[in-house]
Amino acid sequence: MAGNKKTIDKAAKGGDKAAKGKASSSKDDKSGDASGGKLKPATSINVRHILCEKHSKKEEALTKLRDGAKFDEVAREFSEDKARQGGSLGWKIRGSLDAAFEKAAYALEPSTTANPKYIEVKTGFGYHIIMMEGRK
């Protein structure tokens, strides 16, 4: 990813949503909008991600997360972009992210790095594991 500092900002289109991590109920298969249920509509989110170019590396990162590793520690080890600083992309407003990434991120419930609720998505940048820390 030579010189790709703006990992997911609108440049790439496309991608498909994969299964959520830490599945605990049947609501995980929501493919509608983010407001379907408990989540309030948000105009901005505080988001972290792990970006891997290869599917196999993303699977290694997922295994670590499933084994109880903190999201920010896994991001430092596996992410292949500027998010190596714990995966934090900071607060992002609607419309500022890749469409597939944004749809997945806004559908998540807020969680902590110690107990993350995450989702996988593939974009033109590679494979992302996304978690969201806050919304407003």
Side-chain angles (χ1 to χ4, degrees), residues 99-113:
F101 184 103
E102 185 171 287
K103 182 177 178 182
Y106 273 88
L108 285 168
E109 293 177 23
S111 61
T112 63
T113 58

Side-chain angles (χ1 to χ4, degrees), residues 8 24 34 36 91:
I8 50 160
S24 60
W91 286 94

Side-chain angles (χ1 to χ4, degrees), residues 3 25 36 45 50 55 57 72 76 91 98 116 125 128-129:
S25 70
I45 56 173
I50 300 166
H55 185 268
K57 190 166 184 182
D72 54 337
R76 279 187 199 91
W91 286 94
D98 174 84
F125 296 102
H128 302 266
I129 304 168

Side-chain angles (χ1 to χ4, degrees), residues 49-52 57-65 69-87 129:
H49 81 143
I50 300 166
L51 173 64
C52 301
K57 190 166 184 182
K58 178 208 54 143
E59 290 299 317
E60 282 182 62
L62 283 172
T63 298
K64 288 244 183 188
L65 289 171
K70 287 184 165 186
F71 193 93
D72 54 337
E73 292 169 359
V74 177
R76 279 187 199 91
E77 183 178 346
F78 288 92
S79 196
E80 299 173 3
D81 73 336
K82 72 174 186 169
R84 282 189 169 269
Q85 64 242 31
I129 304 168

